[in-house]
Amino acid sequence: MIGPTILHYDVLQELGRGGMGVVYLAQDTRLDRKVALKFLAEKLQAHATAKTRLIREAKSAAAIDHPYICRVYDIGEHDGETFLVLEYVEGVTLKHRLEGGLLPLREALRISLEIAEALDEAHKRGLVHRDLKPANIMLTSSNHSKVMDFGV
């Protein structure tokens, strides 16, 4: 997938993959910014239920504008594959940060409060995170939390 242009996104590199899909770093040529493109895993592309869930979750998440939640910019389709266009968050996952050892208490409390604030906002809008874990929390280059992947 790396190298092609999908709609107006130049795919630069793979960022990661999991059971539900694969995420690529891309350059939005219209708005001149980096974004993340999340495709459903190949095995799920043919399942109408997975596509329906992806679209439903994307619409719900896109309605939330919160500093500690990764933004959903768009949803699209390319060669029959459904994908999301997400905010690209520079930083490291909380999982990666924890591999370096325990967090200082103040940092752990700040991160916990930011995650709680993000989840509270999502819950107020009827959105439940279905896969909350350190791998789905990014710690940004400005030292804040971003909750990612609401089970999409």
Side-chain angles (χ1 to χ4, degrees):
M1 178 71 71
I2 298 166
T5 298
I6 298 172
L7 301 178
H8 56 280
Y9 303 104
D10 291 333
V11 180
L12 304 174
Q13 70 184 62
E14 184 177 313
L15 292 173
R17 59 179 58 234
M20 290 296 291
V22 60
V23 180
Y24 298 95
L25 173 62
Q27 181 69 28
D28 180 338
T29 60
R30 286 187 184 161
L31 297 175
D32 195 25
R33 65 178 172 186
K34 290 181 178 167
V35 295
L37 302 182
K38 180 175 183 176
F39 284 81
L40 276 175
E42 193 173 323
K43 65 183 179 187
L44 296 175
Q45 284 290 341
H47 295 286
T49 305
K51 282 187 180 183
T52 300
R53 182 174 162 202
L54 177 77
I55 293 167
R56 184 183 71 239
E57 299 274 351
K59 286 180 179 179
S60 297
I64 301 173
D65 184 16
H66 191 277
Y68 305 137
I69 296 176
C70 179
R71 290 177 177 83
V72 177
Y73 294 141
D74 200 3
I75 190 163
E77 194 165 309
H78 177 73
D79 289 340
E81 293 187 46
T82 304
F83 66 94
L84 297 181
V85 182
L86 307 167
E87 171 186 12
Y88 170 62
V89 179
E90 256 184 282
V92 299
T93 65
L94 179 56
K95 178 183 179 191
H96 177 75
R97 175 65 178 80
L98 289 170
E99 289 169 355
L102 295 175
L103 300 175
L105 181 59
R106 285 187 189 272
E107 183 179 3
L109 289 173
R110 181 188 48 75
I111 290 169
S112 298
L113 288 171
E114 289 177 355
I115 294 168
E117 186 179 319
L119 294 176
D120 181 55
E121 182 65 25
H123 292 172
K124 286 177 185 173
R125 297 177 180 267
L127 186 61
V128 176
H129 198 297
R130 297 174 190 214
D131 194 23
L132 188 62
K133 58 188 177 186
N136 286 337
I137 306 294
M138 289 294 293
L139 302 176
T140 70
S141 55
S142 61
N143 208 27
H144 287 286
S145 304
K146 283 275 189 178
V147 178
M148 316 281 287
D149 194 0
F150 275 77
V152 178

